[in-house]
Amino acid sequence: MKYKSLIFVSTFLLATTAQAKDVDKTIDAAADGHVDISNVAGEIAVEGWSRNSVRVEGTLGENVEELVLERDGDVVTVKVRVPKRSKNKISSEITVYVPEASSIDVSGVSADIDVEGVTGEQSLHTVSGDVSATAHAAIDAHSVSGDVSVAGDGNVTEVRANTVSGDVDVSGVNGEISV
């Protein structure tokens, strides 16, 4: 009986540790560079901070191959790499801290996107998920099947927000709005 319990506990521990991979990686970045972020499924939170580095922390899905974090000049790339044709157990939740003056390009397929504290231009795109952002510069926010919410600081002069199936909420913009 003890042997069966030990096998069950061992199997349970192996199964639960294989389900998620914690990540915490940092790379130097330009104070006003560009950060390109991609996560197929899950959640992408982006927060501006006062450091000249990009930090990614969170949990990767069981079938995720790796988290790519690399810099080429003033461009930092953050990519959750998944196997081709894989649809199961790839959902990842990441928080990406970027220099606050960075411009960002964030993309997902089945992922929610949330951005706070970034003063550079933002391009945010997901297929099936919500997009929420505070904006201090031009912003382009799109979802095919999800809500899009943009809160400007009163100085934002250009907002493009679009969804096919969801609600759009734009506030605090003192300029051109395309919805």
Side-chain angles (χ1 to χ4, degrees):
M1 186 66 163
K2 288 183 183 179
Y3 181 70
K4 288 182 182 178
S5 296
L6 183 59
I7 291 174
F8 173 76
V9 170
S10 297
T11 304
F12 175 76
L13 289 174
L14 285 173
T16 56
T17 57
Q19 289 179 3
K21 302 169 196 165
D22 290 334
V23 293
D24 190 347
K25 292 184 175 185
T26 304
I27 193 168
D28 289 337
D32 60 351
H34 181 78
V35 182
D36 189 9
I37 304 165
S38 174
N39 180 18
V40 174
E43 296 180 16
I44 307 164
V46 182
E47 296 185 24
W49 67 351
S50 60
R51 299 180 186 172
N52 290 341
S53 60
V54 172
R55 178 179 181 189
V56 182
E57 60 182 24
T59 305
L60 304 179
E62 178 181 340
N63 290 335
V64 169
E65 290 179 353
E66 68 177 325
L67 173 72
V68 175
L69 177 60
E70 56 192 19
R71 179 178 178 181
D72 184 10
D74 286 347
V75 178
V76 172
T77 301
V78 177
K79 182 176 183 175
V80 176
R81 184 172 287 154
V82 298
K84 292 181 181 179
R85 296 181 174 73
S86 179
K87 296 179 184 172
N88 296 323
K89 300 179 182 178
I90 60 169
S91 183
S92 300
E93 296 178 9
I94 60 171
T95 300
V96 183
Y97 300 91
V98 303
E100 59 194 356
S102 298
S103 62
I104 61 172
D105 188 349
V106 183
S107 63
V109 176
S110 181
D112 292 333
I113 299 170
D114 184 34
V115 180
E116 295 283 335
V118 176
T119 61
E121 292 185 1
Q122 302 177 35
S123 178
L124 316 172
H125 300 272
T126 188
V127 176
S128 178
D130 296 332
V131 177
S132 176
T134 56
H136 303 277
I139 183 169
D140 185 12
H142 295 274
S143 177
V144 175
S145 179
D147 297 336
V148 175
S149 176
V150 175
D153 66 356
N155 296 316
V156 177
T157 59
E158 183 181 354
V159 172
R160 289 186 306 228
N162 185 15
T163 183
V164 175
S165 177
D167 297 325
V168 175
D169 181 30
V170 177
S171 63
V173 176
N174 191 15
E176 184 178 325
I177 301 174
S178 173
V179 177

